Amino acid sequence: MAGTLDRERPLAAPEQRRGVGGWFDPRGRRMGGFAFILNRLTGIGLVLYLYLHLVVLSMLARGPDAWDQFVDIALSPPFLALDVLLLVGMLIHGLNGIRVGLIGLGLVASRQRAMFIALMTIAALVALVGALRIFGGE
Amino acid sequence: MTAPASDGRRTARFRVHRRKAGDTASRYDEFEVAVGPNTTVLDGLVEIRRDKDPSLTLRHSCFHASCGTCGMRVNGQEGLACVTKVGEAAEVTVEPMANLPIVSDLVVAMEPFYECLDPVDRPLIRNSETVPSELPDGIDAYTRYEDCIECGICLSACPIAGSDPLYVGPAAIAAAWRVVEEPRGLAAGPVVRLMDDEQAVWRCHVAWECSEACPSGVDPAGAIARMRRAAIAARARRLFGSGGGA
């Protein structure tokens, strides 16, 4: 970055700051704060899923039997529920990411709350349709 | 919560953060305080200090949201204790602002906060010693950032200031944007360049808590967003050779 702040003195000692754990503390947060928490939780979830996905793909290397066995598990209701959870995470993170990008540059910043409500409503509707399709076997 | 008396007063429990210099851990003391419909948290704390525990340390002055000295967290949310009503709450947990060093009980050291403001070097330049009869068009946009009372609440509410102690914080960026927006003869370019920094505008993660928490209606998050645009524009100008100013 181009700045020359070169700040060296911290605001407070670690034990007197909220810390990274404070990112997930919902006490006293408003809508923007909840959006911030949701984005972090879903982001972490999606990163974990990426690694889980690689583990699943590695089963292909173990031959057809291992893969067929996994597919049977993947079609079980608990696993399908995880698919719905993944879809919800992707929708929240992706749509809220658009909001963060726009308001972070001052575009429609005064509408940040309305935008969050609108985008999360879209996320809920798409997740609902997705869940019906996932459990409906389409 | 006890049933309200005929005059509307009742008893609320105050859970107050306590920590003195040298203490290794914080604790919470509980006090029963008589409150009415208009009792503020500061009213309750002053009563505790006067009648129940003179060792309670708190900072306050004006009692009307002007001085910015009684910033604290009430039930987890930042606010000025002097204008935060107890309301219907049976229990009120009062803690010092986060992300700044605790001096004693509810008092935090403000020096690190003021140090964040220092690099901006906010000018207080009067064009005239008298107030003009007609204010310039669009002055409202400027006065919003002028309204900052430097209470530190935005820094306490910011989740990023809690995890990155070198972040300059929302108030400093809002102050810098005030200079850029209304430079009063100063050069705005160096200020934009100063804020075009990983410890300044690019550290913000848009939680918008600073603007929501600000008791003066300043919009630090909006200032950060505008400063980002100015920083990008200044970079583009430098890149394409049309000058280095903001």
Side-chain angles (χ1 to χ4, degrees):
Chain A
M1 291 293 159
T4 51
L5 276 173
D6 293 330
R7 282 175 46 74
E8 290 178 355
R9 182 176 157 177
L11 290 168
E15 68 273 14
Q16 292 174 331
R17 299 195 304 265
R18 291 179 193 268
V20 173
W23 290 0
F24 305 101
D25 183 356
R27 289 176 307 157
R29 296 307 107 207
R30 290 93 168 169
M31 194 173 287
F34 282 114
F36 174 90
I37 293 172
L38 267 179
N39 233 35
R40 264 122 206 94
L41 288 175
T42 52
I44 292 168
L46 291 173
V47 169
L48 292 176
Y49 168 75
L50 179 65
Y51 285 98
L52 181 67
H53 186 60
L54 292 174
V55 170
V56 166
L57 287 182
S58 72
M59 288 181 183
L60 283 170
R62 295 189 201 162
D65 290 342
W67 181 251
D68 289 345
Q69 210 171 6
F70 166 72
V71 170
D72 287 341
I73 297 169
L75 292 175
S76 65
F79 207 97
L80 292 179
L82 289 176
D83 279 350
V84 174
L85 193 65
L86 173 65
L87 177 64
V88 169
M90 284 168 57
L91 285 166
I92 291 174
H93 198 81
L95 291 173
N96 192 42
I98 293 170
R99 168 184 162 274
V100 167
L102 288 174
I103 64 173
L105 287 174
L107 304 171
V108 289
S110 62
R111 302 272 181 205
Q112 62 97 8
R113 280 195 228 179
M115 236 170 120
F116 182 66
I117 292 169
L119 290 170
M120 291 306 104
T121 303
I122 293 169
L125 290 174
V126 175
L128 182 66
V129 172
L132 290 174
R133 290 185 69 95
I134 287 169
F135 279 104
E138 291 287 325
Chain B
M1 181 172 65
T2 58
S6 57
D7 63 352
R9 293 188 73 79
R10 61 181 179 85
T11 302
R13 182 182 300 112
F14 274 55
R15 283 184 73 240
V16 183
H17 174 272
R18 307 302 299 268
R19 184 179 183 132
K20 299 294 185 189
D23 288 354
T24 53
S26 298
R27 68 174 199 279
Y28 289 82
D29 286 351
E30 295 188 355
F31 303 92
E32 302 288 326
V33 179
V35 297
N38 291 315
T39 302
T40 66
V41 173
L42 184 57
D43 292 334
L45 292 171
V46 168
E47 184 182 318
I48 291 168
R49 181 176 158 82
R50 185 187 63 221
D51 298 338
K52 302 175 193 297
D53 186 349
S55 72
L56 175 65
T57 315
L58 67 150
R59 182 193 283 136
H60 71 85
S61 181
C62 73
F63 281 94
H64 58 260
S66 176
C67 69
T69 55
C70 65
M72 49 189 81
R73 284 180 292 163
V74 179
N75 292 331
Q77 197 163 65
E78 287 76 8
L80 295 175
C82 66
V83 289
T84 304
K85 287 187 180 179
V86 173
E88 298 299 315
E91 185 171 282
V92 181
T93 300
V94 191
E95 298 166 295
M97 288 194 293
N99 307 329
L100 288 165
I102 295 170
V103 176
S104 178
D105 295 340
L106 298 171
V107 176
V108 295
M110 294 299 287
E111 288 89 348
F113 173 77
Y114 297 138
E115 280 177 9
C116 291
L117 290 166
D118 281 346
V120 179
D121 194 22
R122 285 193 299 172
L124 293 171
I125 305 167
R126 291 191 179 104
N127 290 328
S128 166
E129 288 300 315
T130 57
V131 178
S133 56
E134 286 187 19
L135 294 174
D137 288 341
I139 192 75
D140 290 349
Y142 305 145
T143 53
R144 182 165 206 181
Y145 296 107
E146 200 85 358
D147 285 343
C148 176
I149 54 175
E150 300 181 6
C151 59
I153 278 177
C154 56
L155 199 65
S156 175
C158 174
I160 298 303
S163 57
D164 182 354
L166 297 179
Y167 176 39
V168 75
I173 302 173
W177 181 247
R178 217 288 282 130
V179 175
V180 174
E181 202 167 40
E182 194 206 2
R184 298 190 191 183
L186 292 184
V191 180
V192 174
R193 207 153 181 177
L194 191 69
M195 290 294 124
D196 182 6
D197 190 291
E198 63 186 343
Q199 290 163 357
V201 293
W202 304 112
R203 181 59 75 236
C204 170
H205 285 229
V206 202
W208 226 259
E209 287 287 350
C210 54
S211 289
E212 298 270 19
C214 177
S216 293
V218 179
D219 178 24
I224 293 169
R226 292 178 189 95
M227 186 68 88
R228 279 179 172 173
R229 288 219 304 255
I232 291 169
R235 281 183 185 225
R237 281 195 291 272
R238 285 199 297 274
L239 186 65
F240 297 108
S242 60

Short mmCIF file of all heavy atoms in Angstrom, two decimals, chain B residues 109-161:
data_model
loop_
_atom_site.label_atom_id
_atom_site.label_comp_id
_atom_site.label_asym_id
_atom_site.label_seq_id
_atom_site.Cartn_x
_atom_site.Cartn_y
_atom_site.Cartn_z
N ALA B 109 -7.76 4.36 28.80
CA ALA B 109 -6.79 5.40 28.39
C ALA B 109 -7.13 5.83 26.97
O ALA B 109 -7.30 4.99 26.09
CB ALA B 109 -5.38 4.84 28.46
N MET B 110 -7.23 7.11 26.76
CA MET B 110 -7.59 7.62 25.43
C MET B 110 -6.37 8.00 24.58
O MET B 110 -6.52 8.32 23.41
CB MET B 110 -8.51 8.85 25.58
CG MET B 110 -9.87 8.54 26.19
SD MET B 110 -10.85 7.35 25.22
CE MET B 110 -11.34 8.39 23.84
N GLU B 111 -5.18 7.97 25.17
CA GLU B 111 -4.00 8.40 24.41
C GLU B 111 -3.83 7.62 23.10
O GLU B 111 -3.57 8.25 22.05
CB GLU B 111 -2.72 8.27 25.24
CG GLU B 111 -2.60 9.29 26.34
CD GLU B 111 -3.25 8.81 27.64
OE1 GLU B 111 -3.98 7.80 27.60
OE2 GLU B 111 -3.05 9.45 28.68
N PRO B 112 -3.96 6.28 23.13
CA PRO B 112 -3.78 5.58 21.85
C PRO B 112 -4.79 6.02 20.79
O PRO B 112 -4.48 6.05 19.61
CB PRO B 112 -4.00 4.11 22.23
CG PRO B 112 -3.72 4.04 23.70
CD PRO B 112 -4.18 5.36 24.25
N PHE B 113 -6.00 6.36 21.24
CA PHE B 113 -7.02 6.84 20.30
C PHE B 113 -6.61 8.19 19.72
O PHE B 113 -6.67 8.41 18.50
CB PHE B 113 -8.36 6.94 21.04
CG PHE B 113 -9.46 7.58 20.23
CD1 PHE B 113 -10.11 6.88 19.24
CD2 PHE B 113 -9.85 8.88 20.49
CE1 PHE B 113 -11.13 7.47 18.50
CE2 PHE B 113 -10.87 9.48 19.75
CZ PHE B 113 -11.51 8.77 18.76
N TYR B 114 -6.15 9.09 20.58
CA TYR B 114 -5.74 10.41 20.09
C TYR B 114 -4.51 10.30 19.18
O TYR B 114 -4.36 11.07 18.23
CB TYR B 114 -5.44 11.36 21.26
CG TYR B 114 -6.64 11.63 22.14
CD1 TYR B 114 -6.52 11.67 23.53
CD2 TYR B 114 -7.90 11.85 21.60
CE1 TYR B 114 -7.61 11.91 24.34
CE2 TYR B 114 -9.00 12.09 22.40
CZ TYR B 114 -8.86 12.12 23.76
OH TYR B 114 -9.95 12.35 24.56
N GLU B 115 -3.65 9.33 19.48
CA GLU B 115 -2.47 9.14 18.63
C GLU B 115 -2.89 8.76 17.21
O GLU B 115 -2.20 9.09 16.24
CB GLU B 115 -1.56 8.07 19.21
CG GLU B 115 -0.69 8.58 20.34
CD GLU B 115 0.17 7.49 20.96
OE1 GLU B 115 0.21 6.38 20.41
OE2 GLU B 115 0.76 7.75 22.01
N CYS B 116 -4.02 8.03 17.11
CA CYS B 116 -4.51 7.67 15.77
C CYS B 116 -4.93 8.92 14.99
O CYS B 116 -4.81 8.97 13.77
CB CYS B 116 -5.72 6.73 15.88
SG CYS B 116 -5.30 5.09 16.49
N LEU B 117 -5.43 9.91 15.72
CA LEU B 117 -5.89 11.14 15.07
C LEU B 117 -4.72 12.06 14.70
O LEU B 117 -4.83 12.87 13.78
CB LEU B 117 -6.85 11.91 15.98
CG LEU B 117 -8.22 11.27 16.21
CD1 LEU B 117 -8.92 11.94 17.38
CD2 LEU B 117 -9.09 11.36 14.97
N ASP B 118 -3.62 11.94 15.43
CA ASP B 118 -2.51 12.88 15.24
C ASP B 118 -2.01 13.01 13.79
O ASP B 118 -1.80 14.13 13.32
CB ASP B 118 -1.33 12.49 16.15
CG ASP B 118 -1.57 12.95 17.58
OD1 ASP B 118 -2.48 13.78 17.78
OD2 ASP B 118 -0.86 12.47 18.49
N PRO B 119 -1.79 11.87 13.09
CA PRO B 119 -1.20 12.02 11.74
C PRO B 119 -2.06 12.84 10.80
O PRO B 119 -1.55 13.43 9.85
CB PRO B 119 -1.10 10.57 11.24
CG PRO B 119 -1.22 9.70 12.44
CD PRO B 119 -2.02 10.47 13.44
N VAL B 120 -3.37 12.87 11.05
CA VAL B 120 -4.26 13.61 10.17
C VAL B 120 -4.05 15.10 10.34
O VAL B 120 -4.21 15.88 9.40
CB VAL B 120 -5.73 13.23 10.46
CG1 VAL B 120 -6.66 14.02 9.55
CG2 VAL B 120 -5.93 11.74 10.29
N ASP B 121 -3.68 15.50 11.54
CA ASP B 121 -3.37 16.90 11.82
C ASP B 121 -4.54 17.79 11.44
O ASP B 121 -4.43 18.70 10.63
CB ASP B 121 -2.11 17.33 11.06
CG ASP B 121 -1.58 18.65 11.59
OD1 ASP B 121 -1.92 18.99 12.74
OD2 ASP B 121 -0.86 19.34 10.86
N ARG B 122 -5.70 17.49 12.01
CA ARG B 122 -6.92 18.21 11.63
C ARG B 122 -6.77 19.72 11.86
O ARG B 122 -6.49 20.15 12.98
CB ARG B 122 -8.12 17.70 12.42
CG ARG B 122 -8.58 16.38 11.94
CD ARG B 122 -9.93 16.04 12.51
NE ARG B 122 -9.91 15.97 13.94
CZ ARG B 122 -11.00 15.85 14.68
NH1 ARG B 122 -12.17 15.81 14.10
NH2 ARG B 122 -10.92 15.76 15.98
N PRO B 123 -7.00 20.47 10.84
CA PRO B 123 -6.86 21.92 11.01
C PRO B 123 -8.14 22.52 11.58
O PRO B 123 -9.24 22.14 11.20
CB PRO B 123 -6.63 22.42 9.59
CG PRO B 123 -7.36 21.43 8.74
CD PRO B 123 -7.34 20.12 9.47
N LEU B 124 -8.02 23.42 12.50
CA LEU B 124 -9.16 24.20 12.97
C LEU B 124 -8.92 25.63 12.52
O LEU B 124 -8.38 26.46 13.24
CB LEU B 124 -9.28 24.11 14.49
CG LEU B 124 -9.64 22.72 15.02
CD1 LEU B 124 -9.52 22.68 16.53
CD2 LEU B 124 -11.05 22.33 14.61
N ILE B 125 -9.25 25.87 11.27
CA ILE B 125 -8.95 27.17 10.66
C ILE B 125 -10.25 27.93 10.44
O ILE B 125 -11.14 27.46 9.75
CB ILE B 125 -8.24 26.99 9.30
CG1 ILE B 125 -6.99 26.13 9.48
CG2 ILE B 125 -7.89 28.34 8.70
CD1 ILE B 125 -6.41 25.63 8.18
N ARG B 126 -10.36 29.06 11.06
CA ARG B 126 -11.54 29.89 10.86
C ARG B 126 -11.29 30.84 9.69
O ARG B 126 -10.24 31.48 9.62
CB ARG B 126 -11.85 30.71 12.10
CG ARG B 126 -12.32 29.90 13.28
CD ARG B 126 -12.87 30.84 14.35
NE ARG B 126 -13.35 30.11 15.50
CZ ARG B 126 -12.67 30.03 16.67
NH1 ARG B 126 -11.52 30.64 16.79
NH2 ARG B 126 -13.16 29.34 17.67
N ASN B 127 -12.26 30.96 8.82
CA ASN B 127 -12.18 31.99 7.79
C ASN B 127 -12.53 33.35 8.37
O ASN B 127 -12.13 34.38 7.89
CB ASN B 127 -13.13 31.67 6.63
CG ASN B 127 -12.63 30.48 5.83
OD1 ASN B 127 -11.42 30.27 5.72
ND2 ASN B 127 -13.55 29.70 5.31
N SER B 128 -13.32 33.30 9.43
CA SER B 128 -13.78 34.54 10.03
C SER B 128 -14.07 34.27 11.51
O SER B 128 -14.40 33.15 11.89
CB SER B 128 -15.04 35.04 9.33
OG SER B 128 -15.65 36.04 10.10
N GLU B 129 -13.94 35.29 12.32
CA GLU B 129 -14.24 35.13 13.74
C GLU B 129 -15.74 35.23 14.00
O GLU B 129 -16.20 34.94 15.09
CB GLU B 129 -13.51 36.21 14.56
CG GLU B 129 -12.01 35.99 14.67
CD GLU B 129 -11.64 34.68 15.33
OE1 GLU B 129 -12.24 34.33 16.36
OE2 GLU B 129 -10.75 33.98 14.81
N THR B 130 -16.48 35.64 13.01
CA THR B 130 -17.92 35.74 13.18
C THR B 130 -18.62 34.68 12.34
O THR B 130 -18.11 34.28 11.28
CB THR B 130 -18.45 37.13 12.76
OG1 THR B 130 -18.06 37.35 11.40
CG2 THR B 130 -17.87 38.21 13.64
N VAL B 131 -19.75 34.24 12.81
CA VAL B 131 -20.52 33.25 12.06
C VAL B 131 -21.20 33.96 10.90
O VAL B 131 -21.86 34.98 11.10
CB VAL B 131 -21.58 32.58 12.97
CG1 VAL B 131 -22.41 31.58 12.17
CG2 VAL B 131 -20.90 31.93 14.15
N PRO B 132 -21.02 33.45 9.67
CA PRO B 132 -21.66 34.12 8.52
C PRO B 132 -23.18 34.04 8.62
O PRO B 132 -23.73 33.09 9.18
CB PRO B 132 -21.14 33.33 7.32
CG PRO B 132 -20.67 32.03 7.87
CD PRO B 132 -20.26 32.28 9.27
N SER B 133 -23.83 35.05 8.08
CA SER B 133 -25.29 35.07 8.17
C SER B 133 -25.91 33.96 7.34
O SER B 133 -26.95 33.42 7.68
CB SER B 133 -25.82 36.43 7.72
OG SER B 133 -25.36 36.70 6.40
N GLU B 134 -25.25 33.64 6.23
CA GLU B 134 -25.76 32.54 5.40
C GLU B 134 -24.66 31.49 5.27
O GLU B 134 -23.54 31.80 4.91
CB GLU B 134 -26.14 33.05 4.02
CG GLU B 134 -27.45 33.85 4.02
CD GLU B 134 -27.89 34.18 2.60
OE1 GLU B 134 -27.42 33.52 1.65
OE2 GLU B 134 -28.68 35.12 2.46
N LEU B 135 -25.04 30.25 5.58
CA LEU B 135 -24.05 29.18 5.47
C LEU B 135 -23.95 28.73 4.02
O LEU B 135 -24.94 28.78 3.27
CB LEU B 135 -24.46 28.00 6.36
CG LEU B 135 -24.45 28.31 7.86
CD1 LEU B 135 -25.02 27.14 8.66
CD2 LEU B 135 -23.03 28.58 8.34
N PRO B 136 -22.76 28.28 3.60
CA PRO B 136 -22.60 27.85 2.20
C PRO B 136 -23.49 26.66 1.89
O PRO B 136 -23.82 25.87 2.76
CB PRO B 136 -21.11 27.44 2.13
CG PRO B 136 -20.48 27.98 3.36
CD PRO B 136 -21.54 28.16 4.37
N ASP B 137 -23.85 26.54 0.61
CA ASP B 137 -24.62 25.38 0.17
C ASP B 137 -23.82 24.10 0.44
O ASP B 137 -22.61 24.05 0.25
CB ASP B 137 -24.92 25.48 -1.33
CG ASP B 137 -25.96 26.56 -1.60
OD1 ASP B 137 -26.67 26.94 -0.65
OD2 ASP B 137 -26.05 27.02 -2.76
N GLY B 138 -24.52 23.08 0.86
CA GLY B 138 -23.88 21.78 1.05
C GLY B 138 -23.05 21.67 2.30
O GLY B 138 -22.31 20.71 2.48
N ILE B 139 -23.17 22.64 3.21
CA ILE B 139 -22.35 22.62 4.42
C ILE B 139 -22.68 21.42 5.31
O ILE B 139 -21.84 20.92 6.06
CB ILE B 139 -22.52 23.95 5.21
CG1 ILE B 139 -21.46 24.10 6.32
CG2 ILE B 139 -23.90 24.05 5.82
CD1 ILE B 139 -20.11 24.45 5.82
N ASP B 140 -23.91 20.90 5.18
CA ASP B 140 -24.32 19.77 6.00
C ASP B 140 -23.39 18.57 5.81
O ASP B 140 -23.11 17.82 6.74
CB ASP B 140 -25.76 19.34 5.66
CG ASP B 140 -26.75 20.39 6.12
OD1 ASP B 140 -26.34 21.30 6.86
OD2 ASP B 140 -27.93 20.29 5.74
N ALA B 141 -22.95 18.39 4.57
CA ALA B 141 -22.09 17.24 4.29
C ALA B 141 -20.78 17.34 5.07
O ALA B 141 -20.18 16.35 5.45
CB ALA B 141 -21.80 17.16 2.80
N TYR B 142 -20.31 18.57 5.28
CA TYR B 142 -19.05 18.75 6.00
C TYR B 142 -19.25 18.67 7.52
O TYR B 142 -18.46 18.10 8.23
CB TYR B 142 -18.43 20.11 5.67
CG TYR B 142 -18.21 20.36 4.20
CD1 TYR B 142 -18.35 21.63 3.68
CD2 TYR B 142 -17.87 19.33 3.33
CE1 TYR B 142 -18.15 21.88 2.33
CE2 TYR B 142 -17.67 19.57 1.99
CZ TYR B 142 -17.82 20.84 1.50
OH TYR B 142 -17.63 21.08 0.17
N THR B 143 -20.34 19.30 7.96
CA THR B 143 -20.52 19.39 9.42
C THR B 143 -20.69 18.02 10.04
O THR B 143 -20.40 17.82 11.20
CB THR B 143 -21.74 20.26 9.78
OG1 THR B 143 -22.87 19.77 9.08
CG2 THR B 143 -21.49 21.70 9.43
N ARG B 144 -21.15 17.06 9.25
CA ARG B 144 -21.33 15.72 9.78
C ARG B 144 -20.01 15.20 10.37
O ARG B 144 -19.98 14.65 11.45
CB ARG B 144 -21.81 14.79 8.67
CG ARG B 144 -22.04 13.40 9.18
CD ARG B 144 -22.85 12.60 8.20
NE ARG B 144 -23.57 11.57 8.92
CZ ARG B 144 -24.35 10.69 8.36
NH1 ARG B 144 -24.55 10.71 7.10
NH2 ARG B 144 -24.95 9.78 9.09
N TYR B 145 -18.92 15.38 9.64
CA TYR B 145 -17.62 14.89 10.13
C TYR B 145 -17.04 15.82 11.19
O TYR B 145 -16.20 15.43 11.98
CB TYR B 145 -16.67 14.69 8.95
CG TYR B 145 -17.18 13.62 8.04
CD1 TYR B 145 -17.71 13.93 6.81
CD2 TYR B 145 -17.21 12.29 8.45
CE1 TYR B 145 -18.26 12.96 6.00
CE2 TYR B 145 -17.76 11.31 7.65
CZ TYR B 145 -18.27 11.65 6.42
OH TYR B 145 -18.83 10.68 5.63
N GLU B 146 -17.53 17.06 11.17
CA GLU B 146 -17.09 18.03 12.18
C GLU B 146 -17.69 17.69 13.54
O GLU B 146 -17.21 18.12 14.58
CB GLU B 146 -17.53 19.44 11.74
CG GLU B 146 -16.78 20.55 12.39
CD GLU B 146 -15.49 20.89 11.66
OE1 GLU B 146 -15.14 20.25 10.67
OE2 GLU B 146 -14.84 21.81 12.10
N ASP B 147 -18.78 16.90 13.53
CA ASP B 147 -19.51 16.62 14.76
C ASP B 147 -18.82 15.60 15.66
O ASP B 147 -19.31 15.33 16.76
CB ASP B 147 -20.92 16.09 14.42
CG ASP B 147 -21.83 17.21 13.94
OD1 ASP B 147 -21.49 18.37 14.18
OD2 ASP B 147 -22.87 16.90 13.34
N CYS B 148 -17.74 15.01 15.20
CA CYS B 148 -17.05 13.98 16.01
C CYS B 148 -16.66 14.57 17.37
O CYS B 148 -16.04 15.63 17.44
CB CYS B 148 -15.82 13.48 15.27
SG CYS B 148 -14.83 12.31 16.24
N ILE B 149 -17.04 13.88 18.45
CA ILE B 149 -16.69 14.36 19.79
C ILE B 149 -15.53 13.55 20.38
O ILE B 149 -15.24 13.65 21.57
CB ILE B 149 -17.92 14.32 20.74
CG1 ILE B 149 -18.54 12.91 20.76
CG2 ILE B 149 -18.93 15.36 20.34
CD1 ILE B 149 -19.68 12.77 21.78
N GLU B 150 -14.91 12.73 19.53
CA GLU B 150 -13.70 11.98 19.92
C GLU B 150 -13.93 11.16 21.19
O GLU B 150 -13.13 11.16 22.11
CB GLU B 150 -12.52 12.94 20.08
CG GLU B 150 -12.22 13.69 18.78
CD GLU B 150 -11.04 14.63 18.88
OE1 GLU B 150 -10.37 14.62 19.93
OE2 GLU B 150 -10.79 15.37 17.92
N CYS B 151 -15.05 10.46 21.21
CA CYS B 151 -15.38 9.64 22.38
C CYS B 151 -14.71 8.27 22.33
O CYS B 151 -14.60 7.59 23.35
CB CYS B 151 -16.89 9.48 22.49
SG CYS B 151 -17.67 8.70 21.04
N GLY B 152 -14.33 7.81 21.13
CA GLY B 152 -13.68 6.51 21.00
C GLY B 152 -14.64 5.35 20.84
O GLY B 152 -14.21 4.19 20.72
N ILE B 153 -15.94 5.64 20.81
CA ILE B 153 -16.93 4.56 20.72
C ILE B 153 -16.78 3.78 19.42
O ILE B 153 -16.92 2.56 19.40
CB ILE B 153 -18.36 5.16 20.88
CG1 ILE B 153 -18.64 5.35 22.38
CG2 ILE B 153 -19.41 4.31 20.21
CD1 ILE B 153 -19.97 6.00 22.69
N CYS B 154 -16.47 4.48 18.32
CA CYS B 154 -16.33 3.78 17.03
C CYS B 154 -15.20 2.77 17.07
O CYS B 154 -15.29 1.67 16.51
CB CYS B 154 -16.12 4.78 15.90
SG CYS B 154 -14.71 5.88 16.13
N LEU B 155 -14.13 3.13 17.77
CA LEU B 155 -12.98 2.23 17.87
C LEU B 155 -13.33 1.00 18.70
O LEU B 155 -12.89 -0.11 18.42
CB LEU B 155 -11.80 2.97 18.50
CG LEU B 155 -10.43 2.37 18.29
CD1 LEU B 155 -10.04 2.39 16.83
CD2 LEU B 155 -9.38 3.11 19.11
N SER B 156 -14.15 1.20 19.73
CA SER B 156 -14.56 0.09 20.57
C SER B 156 -15.50 -0.85 19.82
O SER B 156 -15.44 -2.07 19.98
CB SER B 156 -15.25 0.63 21.83
OG SER B 156 -15.78 -0.42 22.61
N ALA B 157 -16.37 -0.27 18.99
CA ALA B 157 -17.36 -1.09 18.28
C ALA B 157 -16.76 -1.83 17.09
O ALA B 157 -17.32 -2.83 16.65
CB ALA B 157 -18.50 -0.19 17.80
N CYS B 158 -15.62 -1.36 16.61
CA CYS B 158 -15.03 -1.93 15.38
C CYS B 158 -14.42 -3.31 15.65
O CYS B 158 -13.51 -3.43 16.46
CB CYS B 158 -13.96 -0.99 14.84
SG CYS B 158 -13.07 -1.68 13.43
N PRO B 159 -14.90 -4.35 14.96
CA PRO B 159 -14.32 -5.68 15.19
C PRO B 159 -12.88 -5.79 14.69
O PRO B 159 -12.11 -6.59 15.23
CB PRO B 159 -15.25 -6.61 14.40
CG PRO B 159 -15.94 -5.75 13.40
CD PRO B 159 -16.01 -4.38 13.99
N ILE B 160 -12.53 -4.98 13.71
CA ILE B 160 -11.17 -5.06 13.17
C ILE B 160 -10.17 -4.40 14.12
O ILE B 160 -9.06 -4.90 14.30
CB ILE B 160 -11.12 -4.41 11.77
CG1 ILE B 160 -12.03 -5.17 10.80
CG2 ILE B 160 -9.70 -4.39 11.23
CD1 ILE B 160 -11.74 -6.65 10.66
N ALA B 161 -10.57 -3.30 14.75
CA ALA B 161 -9.67 -2.69 15.75
C ALA B 161 -9.41 -3.66 16.89
O ALA B 161 -8.37 -3.58 17.56
CB ALA B 161 -10.30 -1.40 16.28
#
